[in-house]
Amino acid sequence: MIGRLRWPGAGTALGALYMALCYGFIFLPVIVLVLFSFQSGDLPAPPFNGPSLRWYQAAFADGRLVDGFTNSLLVGGSSSALSVLLGFFAAYGISRYEFPLKRAIQAIVILPLAVSYLLIGMGLLVSASWLGFSPSLSTVVIGHVVVNMPLAFVICLAQLGEHQRRVEAAARDLGASTFRVLFSITAPMIAPALIAAFCLCFTLSWDETLIALLNTRFDVTLPVVILSLLRGGVSPLTNAAGSFIFLCSILLMVVVELLLLRQRR
Amino acid sequence: MREEAHLVVEDVRKLYGEVVALDGVSLAVGATDYVVLLGPSGSGKTTLLSVIGGFAFPSAGRITIAGKDVTALGPAVRPTTTVFQDYALFPHMTVAGNVGFGLRIRGVAGTEQRRRVGAALEMVGLTGFDRRGIHELSGGQRQRVALARALVVEPQILLLDEPLGALDLNLRRQMQDELLDLQRRTGRSFVHVTHDQEEAMALASLIVVMNKGRIEDLGPPQRVYARPATRFAATFMGESTQFEGRVAERASGQCLLVETPVGHLPVTGNLEAGSQVTIILRPENIRAEAGGEIALGEARVREAVFQGAHYRVLASRQSPAQDFVLRLPPQAVIEPGMALKLSCAAGDLVLLQR
C-alpha cells in the first residue's frame, strides 16, 4: 500500500503523528499531574516554579494522608491475598475436576468483571447494613475481593494446562495427596503468575475509589482521602499524593510485566 | 514355563462417552516380565497403561496386583509408578529434589533419603547431577531422572508411556539396552507402551499387540513375530507375503491342504474344509531358489531396494496374481524384471483364519 503513495515517507509520518497524539492524549494529564506535584507555589497551575519537594513533605506530614496510605496498604494487601487464594482454588477446581454445571459456575465466577463498581459498592453497603454491619475497611476488602478475584481466577486458569496436569499426575503417582500436590507442585510451578496476579489485584485495589467511598466512614483509603481533599479546592498537595499513588502502581505493573514476560519465554 | 501371575487384568472395559477405548482386555503378567503394549495410536494401549496406573478407572473389569484388588485405588496408593511420555519432571526442583520427592512423601528423610537418591542416580548413570536444575539437562538425561524418580520408591511395577518417543535413534537404542539392564537388575516388572515394533521386539519378554481396544495377540516376541495369531498382529509386527485361500481338504489329523494362487499349500491347523483362510510367510523365510521343501512358482522382480544388510525385494506373478516380499543377500545381483524361482519350508507357513 505504502509503495503506491507519491511520497513513501508520508504514510509513516502520518502514523507517527497519530501515535504521538494518542500517547499525548493518554499521558499529558499524568505528566501535568506529576509536574505540578513539584510546584513550589500554592497552586497546581502554570507558571511552574520549582522544582521543590515541599508538597511531598507536606503530604507525608499530613495525618489523614498517612492514615489513608496505611489503610490502602492494608486493604490492598489483604484483598489481593484473598483474591489470589480464592482465584487459585477456583481455577484448580474448574480445570481439574468434572462436575455438573461446570460451565455455569465458571461464568458466575467471572461475572463480577462485567458488573459496575457502583452496583457492587451499593449492593455491599445495603447488604452490610441489612446484616447489621457498619461500613468499615473489612467491607471494602470484601468488595475488592469480589471485583479482583475473577481476574486472579482467569490468570491462574491460563496456567493450569495439559503439561501442568501431567506433572501433577506424576506427583500423585509418587504418593502425594491433593493438598500436597497443590502446595508443593502446582503453586510453586505457577508462582510467577500468582505473584503477578497479586500485584495486579493490588494495583486495582490501590486506586479503587467508588467501592471504598461508599463503604467507609471514618477509616478511609488513600483515594478517598484525596477525593475529600479535592473538595476543599486544588492544591499541589493532592498532586503529590496522586503522583505517589501513581508511582506505586507503576512499580507493581513493572513487576507484573517482568514476571509474565519471563514466563512466556 | 511362565511364572505365576503378578499383575492380572480381567476383562477390563473403558468407555469415554460413546467411544470404546478398551473392549474387554484380559492379561496376566509375571513379577519379572518386561511387557510391551504394542499398537497403533488409538489402539487403547495408553488407556490400558493409565488403567493399570490408576489414572483412569475401568468402566468394568478388575485389576489385581500381587493378589490385591487395586481396581478402585488411585495412583498414589498403587504399587506402581509411571515414567511419563514428556517425563513430567518438577521444573522448580533440582534433580535430587525430583528423585527424592516420592521418598519425602513416604517420610524418608535425612541421610537415608540422600543415600537412596544417590543410589538411584547411580543406577541411571547420573551420579553427581544432584544439584543440577531440570532445565540444564538434555532429553536423555531428563529421561534418566524420570526413571530414577519412579524407581527410587521401589514400585512393584514400573509403567513406561512411550518413554523413548522423544529421543533420536542412537540414543533410543542405547536407552533400550539400559532399560533392559535396569529391569534385570531391579527384578521388577516393567510395562512399556510403544507403537514401534522393533523397540517392542528388542525389549519385551511378553508382547501384547493391541488394536481397537482389544488384544490381538499376546506372547513372547519370537512367537508373536513368527507365528502371529491374527492378520493384524502379522502385519503390525512386520512385512509378510500373504496367500489368500480356502481349505481344500483335511488330511490326517492337524494337516490341511489350502488352495492358493500358488497351488495347494500344506499347513497345520484345525479348520473345516471350505473355510476362507490367509497364509502368511515372513520375507526372510522365502528362498529365491527352486530347491526348497515347497515350491512357490516363479515371480518377476518389480522392485529391489538396498537396505544395507539385505535387499528388500518386491516380486509378483500374473494369472493367478500373487505378490511376494522377500529378502536377498546384499551381494545378490538383482534387476527389475528378473525371474526368480521361489520356495519355502513348510514349517514357516502360518495359517490365519479370515
Side-chain angles (χ1 to χ4, degrees), chain A residues 86-110:
Chain A
L86 295 176
F88 172 55
F89 284 154
Y92 189 81
I94 291 281
S95 67
R96 293 295 179 263
Y97 296 98
E98 289 303 322
F99 45 88
L101 296 179
K102 190 166 138 170
R103 293 271 148 231
I105 290 169
Q106 181 169 355
I108 289 169
V109 170
I110 300 177

Side-chain angles (χ1 to χ4, degrees), chain B residues 49-282:
Chain B
L49 196 79
S50 319
V51 166
I52 296 172
F55 296 105
F57 294 105
S59 313
R62 213 159 79 99
I63 295 165
T64 49
I65 296 173
K68 191 174 163 225
D69 188 334
V70 297
T71 315
L73 299 184
V77 287
R78 286 200 189 193
T80 57
T81 51
T82 307
V83 174
F84 293 85
Q85 192 169 8
D86 60 356
Y87 316 141
L89 298 175
F90 309 132
H92 59 296
M93 296 182 189
T94 59
V95 168
N98 267 275
V99 177
F101 184 80
L103 295 174
R104 287 200 293 285
I105 298 281
R106 284 161 179 74
V108 179
T111 28
E112 173 65 5
Q113 189 193 124
R114 274 197 295 280
R115 188 189 63 74
R116 285 173 67 178
V117 167
L121 285 176
E122 190 191 333
M123 189 164 63
V124 296
L126 284 182
T127 303
F129 279 68
D130 313 51
R131 298 274 129 237
R132 297 275 186 97
I134 297 307
H135 299 287
E136 301 168 52
L137 304 180
S138 69
Q141 289 168 336
R142 287 180 195 196
Q143 164 85 77
R144 287 161 213 256
V145 174
L147 271 169
R149 181 179 72 175
L151 283 169
V152 75
V153 297
E154 301 184 340
Q156 294 182 23
I157 302 172
L158 183 71
L159 308 174
L160 303 112
D161 184 9
E162 307 216 10
L164 309 180
L167 306 178
D168 64 59
L169 188 62
N170 284 332
L171 196 53
R172 210 181 315 162
R173 292 252 161 82
Q174 188 192 336
M175 283 307 294
Q176 282 175 10
D177 295 340
E178 289 185 27
L179 278 175
L180 263 186
D181 183 51
L182 215 52
Q183 193 258 340
R184 286 189 190 121
R185 273 192 291 157
T186 54
R188 293 170 206 291
S189 74
F190 282 22
V191 180
H192 178 129
V193 162
T194 183
H195 52 80
D196 179 340
Q197 48 94 9
E198 275 182 40
E199 184 176 308
M201 283 193 277
L203 290 168
S205 66
L206 184 71
I207 283 190
V208 179
V209 183
M210 296 190 66
N211 183 35
K212 294 180 181 160
R214 292 179 159 280
I215 292 180
E216 292 269 344
D217 198 0
L218 181 157
Q222 299 81 353
R223 204 280 291 146
V224 174
Y225 178 80
R227 310 199 72 82
T230 65
R231 185 199 280 252
F232 178 85
T235 45
F236 202 78
M237 289 300 287
E239 285 188 310
S240 54
T241 300
Q242 306 194 353
F243 306 102
E244 308 296 338
R246 193 176 60 82
V247 178
E249 63 175 287
R250 285 185 73 141
S252 57
Q254 298 269 300
C255 194
L256 305 176
L257 267 184
V258 177
E259 192 186 322
T260 71
V262 292
H264 283 63
L265 297 176
V267 286
T268 50
N270 197 2
L271 289 173
E272 292 307 313
S275 309
Q276 296 291 320
V277 295
T278 304
I279 291 174
I280 69 149
L281 185 58
R282 292 292 183 203

Side-chain angles (χ1 to χ4, degrees), chain B residues 294-325:
Chain B
I294 294 169
L296 296 172
E298 204 177 80
R300 286 199 179 276
V301 174
R302 275 192 292 131
E303 205 180 308
V305 181
F306 180 63
Q307 297 197 317
H310 57 81
Y311 272 104
R312 173 172 170 271
V313 179
L314 298 177
S316 56
R317 54 177 273 187
Q318 310 288 324
S319 59
Q322 175 66 50
D323 289 335
F324 298 89
V325 52

